[in-house]
């Protein structure tokens, strides 16, 4: 089914750091937030038919804020790198997947630059004790809420990520918590295996999303893991089989 679309106009373009640009959109008649703090929308820029996914950094009923990574080369990257104020874009309906159980006493957030908007918004919405690992090429002091316990990491190189190794070395807190992570897809697949095989976490204890694919390959689709998860469980599949089905859907 085709995603519902909303017409929007770029009201402002504000560089936040060398690789992150804030795009503020207006218009969006009828748009509604899903209320899920990692919610994303599809963005279709002028002259294009394909969408790219961006986290709703904020929506106040009038202005929609997206923080866009400008990397080496890409459709939205090129558009967001130049003055785009006044241009008309299309936004697709919001979806989210963060599902922290009420019983979770702590939260771990791990991500690269593309995950910063979601991590900032999640931090604004939870009160549990939270630790963050952020792999970013720029100084983003002040981007996350004040007082956030954050470990800043440098990416190994442009368009590269080493987050999987970082997560494997985390000193895991005791008791019940929630783990959320987003970034380069191959890193995310490695981490899901680690969470299932080494940490033996139940599927309700984590959400790990591939946001982009390195190595110049086609970008993953944004797929809400919830329905795939429920269908897999109903069919009696293992966690590993269900995540394999999710990966196949993302790569389709
Ligand atoms: C649910 C979800 C939420 C997301 N939220 C955000 C967000 O808030 N902000 C954000 O900036 N991105 C976010 N992303 C990631 C974003 O959709 C991708 O990075 C997208 O590919 C960027 O589009 P583009 O047109 O710039 O590059 P594309 O034309 O899609 O890709 C061109 C090439 O660039 C490379 N590439 C793509 N992304 C990156 C990157 N980040 N770093 C280095 N190389 C890259 C790929 O290898 C690709 O072959 C999100 C993705 C998902 C699925």
């Amino acid at each position: 089914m085709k995603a519902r679309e909303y017409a929007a106009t770029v009201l402002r373009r504000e560089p936040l750091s060398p690789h992150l640009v804030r795009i503020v959109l207006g218009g969006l008649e009828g748009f509604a937030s899903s209320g899920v703090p990692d919610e994303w929308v599809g963005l279709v820029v002028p002259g294009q038919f394909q969408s790219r996914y961006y986290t709703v950094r904020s929506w106040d009923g009038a202005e929609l804020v997206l923080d866009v990574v400008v990397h080496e080369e890409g459709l939205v990257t090129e558009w967001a790198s130049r003055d785009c104020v006044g241009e008309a874009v299309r936004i697709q309906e919001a979806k989210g997947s963060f599902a922290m159980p009420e019983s979770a006493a702590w939260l771990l957030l791990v991500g690269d630059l593309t995950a910063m908007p979601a991590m900032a918004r999640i931090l604004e919405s939870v009160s549990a004790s939270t630790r963050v690992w952020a792999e970013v090429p720029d100084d983003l002091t002040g981007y996350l809420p004040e007082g956030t316990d954050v470990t800043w990491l440098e990416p190994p190189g442009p368009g590269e990520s080493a987050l999987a190794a970082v997560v494997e070395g985390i000193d895991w807190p005791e008791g019940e918590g929630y783990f959320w992570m987003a970034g380069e897809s191959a890193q995310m697949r490695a981490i899901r295996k680690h969470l299932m095989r080494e940490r033996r976490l139940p599927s309700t204890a984590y959400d790990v999303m591939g946001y982009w694919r390195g190595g110049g390959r086609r970008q993953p689709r944004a797929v809400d893991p919830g329905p795939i998860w429920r269908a897999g469980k109903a069919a009696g599949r293992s966690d590993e089989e269900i995540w394999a089905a999710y990966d196949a859907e993302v790569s389709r």
Side-chain angles (χ1 to χ4, degrees), residues 40 73 85 115 131 143 184 187 195 207 215 235:
W40 63 83
E73 164 182 20
V85 175
R131 279 199 70 189
Y143 185 87
E184 201 281 320
Q187 302 288 313
L195 299 179
D207 183 16

Side-chain angles (χ1 to χ4, degrees), residues 52-53 55 67 69 71 73 75-77 114 211 213 216 219:
R52 296 289 187 270
Y53 296 101
T55 304
D67 289 346
V69 174
H71 50 95
E73 164 182 20
L75 203 135
V76 172
T77 286
T114 60
Y211 271 15
R213 191 163 290 156
Q219 289 311 296

Side-chain angles (χ1 to χ4, degrees), residues 3-250:
R4 201 168 158 203
E5 288 196 343
Y6 305 87
T9 308
V10 181
L11 301 177
R12 297 189 296 284
R13 176 190 176 278
E14 303 160 358
L16 300 179
S17 76
H19 295 92
L20 199 61
V21 177
R22 175 156 291 175
I23 303 285
V24 182
L25 302 172
L28 290 142
E29 205 174 309
F31 179 80
S33 166
S34 70
V36 183
D38 69 346
E39 72 180 339
W40 63 83
V41 290
L43 167 69
V44 184
V45 297
Q48 298 293 336
F49 295 99
Q50 290 181 14
S51 61
R52 296 289 187 270
Y53 296 101
Y54 289 92
T55 304
V56 175
R57 177 64 192 85
S58 66
W59 163 247
D60 63 4
E63 294 189 353
L64 182 79
V65 176
L66 308 178
D67 289 346
V68 173
V69 174
V70 288
H71 50 95
E72 290 195 334
E73 164 182 20
L75 203 135
V76 172
T77 286
E78 276 154 42
W79 174 78
S81 301
R82 61 171 176 79
D83 180 11
C84 50
V85 175
E87 294 190 9
V89 297
R90 282 177 293 139
I91 290 292
Q92 292 163 350
E93 64 194 322
K95 291 186 183 151
S97 78
F98 181 88
M100 181 167 163
E102 275 185 21
S103 50
W106 47 262
L107 171 66
L108 304 183
L109 298 174
V110 185
D112 62 21
L113 192 53
T114 60
M116 289 297 281
M119 295 201 292
R121 197 166 147 199
I122 291 168
L123 283 160
E124 288 166 359
S125 75
V126 298
S127 53
S129 151
T130 306
R131 279 199 70 189
V132 179
W133 286 261
E135 185 189 58
V136 297
D138 304 337
D139 178 1
L140 284 176
T141 314
Y143 185 87
L144 299 175
E146 213 184 319
T148 301
D149 178 354
V150 52
T151 304
W152 297 104
L153 306 156
E154 268 197 42
E160 291 176 20
S161 171
L163 279 177
V166 171
V167 174
E168 283 164 19
I170 288 178
D171 201 3
W172 220 255
E174 292 290 320
E176 194 187 336
Y178 191 63
F179 178 87
W180 183 97
M181 178 168 183
E184 201 281 320
S185 293
Q187 302 288 313
M188 301 306 118
R189 277 197 299 278
I191 282 310
R192 264 192 240 116
K193 285 201 178 101
H194 171 74
L195 299 179
M196 286 185 279
R197 292 177 187 172
E198 267 81 55
R199 301 244 172 246
R200 299 190 171 276
L201 291 185
S203 58
T204 46
Y206 62 90
D207 183 16
V208 177
M209 305 256 296
Y211 271 15
W212 60 281
R213 191 163 290 156
R217 291 163 61 201
R218 201 163 61 81
Q219 289 311 296
R221 304 162 69 229
V223 176
D224 179 353
I228 297 176
W229 191 260
R230 287 189 290 276
K233 279 287 166 201
R237 298 199 183 96
S238 70
D239 286 9
E240 214 153 341
E241 286 169 332
I242 297 173
W243 280 116
Y246 168 81
D247 283 334
E249 188 60 23
V250 164

